C-alpha cells in the first residue's frame, strides 16, 4: 500500500511537471520562480506531510529535528528565508549589515535550530544510513542519491559568477544549460527524499 501510494504521487508530480513545462516552455526550468522550482517545493511539502503522518506525535517530540529540516527545505525552496527580512537569514551580510537587531536575533535563532537539527540527524541517523547503504536498502539509497544531486545542483548555482572569478567566461547557452541542470537536479533530489520518507519506516521494521 505504501509503495503504491508513493508511486502514484510520484507519477502525479512528474505529470504536473510535464504539463508545467508544456505551458511555460523553458521558462519553467530556466527561471528561479519557474514551475519546476514550484514542483520542488511541492515535493518537499509532500515529504513533510509524509513524515508527520508516519510518525504522528513523534514527529514533534522524538523526531522533531527531521520535521524541522524538512520544513526548512520546503521554506527555502519558496525563498521564505528572504521574504520577511531585509536580507536572507542564511546570508552572512544579514548579521554583519544594517539589518534591525530583531531580524538578526530571529535569524540567529533559526540558524541555531537548523544546526542543532542537522547535528542530531547526523548523530542519530548516520549509523542506519551507512548500514542501509551497505545492505542496499532502497530508502537509504534514495537519500544518497538526493545528497549527490544536491551537491551537483549547488555546484552549478551561479556558475558564470564562479568561473568569472577564475578568469573563465562562459556563453549564454552554457549558462542556460547550467540553470536547467540545476533546477532539474533540485527537483530530482526532492522527489528522492519524498519517496525515501515513505520507505524508511518500512526499512526500519524490516531490520528489527
Amino acid at each position: 500500500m505504501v509503495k503504491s501510494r508513493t508511486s502514484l504521487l510520484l507519477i502525479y508530480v512528474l505529470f504536473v511537471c510535464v504539463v508545467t513545462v508544456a505551458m511555460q516552455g523553458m521558462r519553467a526550468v530556466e527561471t528561479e520562480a519557474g514551475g519546476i522550482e514550484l514542483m520542488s517545493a511541492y515535493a518537499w511539502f509532500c515529504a513533510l506531510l509524509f513524515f508527520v503522518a508516519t510518525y504522528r506525535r513523534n514527529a514533534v517530540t522524538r523526531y522533531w529535528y527531521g520535521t524541522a529540516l524538512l520544513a526548512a527545505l520546503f521554506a527555502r525552496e519558496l525563498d521564505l528565508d528572504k521574504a520577511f527580512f531585509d536580507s536572507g537569514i542564511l546570508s552572512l551580510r544579514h548579521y554583519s549589515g544594517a539589518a534591525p537587531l530583531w531580524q538578526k536575533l530571529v535569524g540567529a535563532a533559526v540558524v541555531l535550530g537548523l544546526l542543532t537539527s542537522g547535528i542530531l540527524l547526523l548523530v542519530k541517523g548516520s549509523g542506519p544510513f551507512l548500514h542501509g547503504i551497505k545492505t542496499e536498502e532502497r530508502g537509504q539509497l534514495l537519500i544518497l542519491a538526493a545528497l549527490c544531486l544536491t551537491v551537483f545542483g549547488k555546484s552549478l548555482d551561479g556558475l558564470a559568477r564562479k568561473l568569472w572569478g577564475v578568469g573563465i567566461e562562459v556563453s549564454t547557452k552554457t549558462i542556460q544549460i547550467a540553470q536547467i541542470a540545476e533546477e532539474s537536479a533540485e527537483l530530482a533530489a526532492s522527489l528522492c527524499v519524498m519517496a525515501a520518507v515513505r520507505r524508511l519506516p518500512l526499512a526500519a521494521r524490516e531490520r528489527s
Side-chain angles (χ1 to χ4, degrees), residues 61-97:
T61 55
R62 186 177 180 181
Y63 303 121
W64 64 268
Y65 51 90
T67 304
L69 289 173
L70 287 173
L73 288 166
F74 166 62
R76 177 65 184 86
E77 199 65 40
L78 293 178
D79 291 328
L80 294 183
D81 58 310
K82 305 172 184 176
F84 307 104
F85 304 96
D86 295 341
S87 57
I89 60 175
L90 301 179
S91 172
L92 288 177
R93 68 173 178 269
H94 177 75
Y95 305 97
S96 61

Side-chain angles (χ1 to χ4, degrees), residues 27-203:
R27 291 185 297 107
V29 183
E30 295 174 347
T31 60
E32 284 293 327
I36 298 303
E37 185 172 90
L38 292 179
M39 286 299 99
S40 297
Y42 177 72
W44 286 120
F45 181 66
C46 288
L48 175 61
L49 289 182
F50 284 163
F51 191 84
V52 173
T54 299
Y55 292 108
R56 300 187 182 184
R57 183 182 301 176
N58 284 334
V60 293
T61 55
R62 186 177 180 181
Y63 303 121
W64 64 268
Y65 51 90
T67 304
L69 289 173
L70 287 173
L73 288 166
F74 166 62
R76 177 65 184 86
E77 199 65 40
L78 293 178
D79 291 328
L80 294 183
D81 58 310
K82 305 172 184 176
F84 307 104
F85 304 96
D86 295 341
S87 57
I89 60 175
L90 301 179
S91 172
L92 288 177
R93 68 173 178 269
H94 177 75
Y95 305 97
S96 61
L101 178 60
W102 71 269
Q103 291 189 14
K104 294 181 179 180
L105 292 176
V106 171
V110 172
V111 171
L112 179 61
L114 293 177
L115 287 175
T116 303
S117 300
I119 291 172
L120 285 174
L121 182 63
L122 286 174
V123 171
K124 297 185 177 184
S126 58
F129 175 71
L130 294 175
H131 179 270
I133 296 300
K134 184 177 180 180
T135 57
E136 299 184 356
E137 288 181 6
R138 186 174 301 175
Q140 306 294 358
L141 292 175
L142 284 168
I143 294 296
L144 178 61
L147 291 173
C148 294
L149 287 166
T150 299
V151 172
F152 174 70
K154 291 301 180 184
S155 67
L156 295 176
D157 186 21
L159 181 64
R161 183 183 67 254
K162 294 174 182 176
L163 293 179
W164 179 263
V166 294
I168 301 176
E169 185 176 356
V170 296
S171 65
T172 302
K173 186 65 175 180
T174 301
I175 295 174
Q176 291 177 340
I177 294 174
Q179 290 174 336
I180 293 171
E182 177 194 350
E183 295 296 334
S184 300
E186 290 181 358
L187 174 60
S190 62
L191 291 174
C192 285
V193 173
M194 186 180 75
V197 167
R198 294 296 283 173
R199 176 66 192 176
L200 292 179
L202 176 60

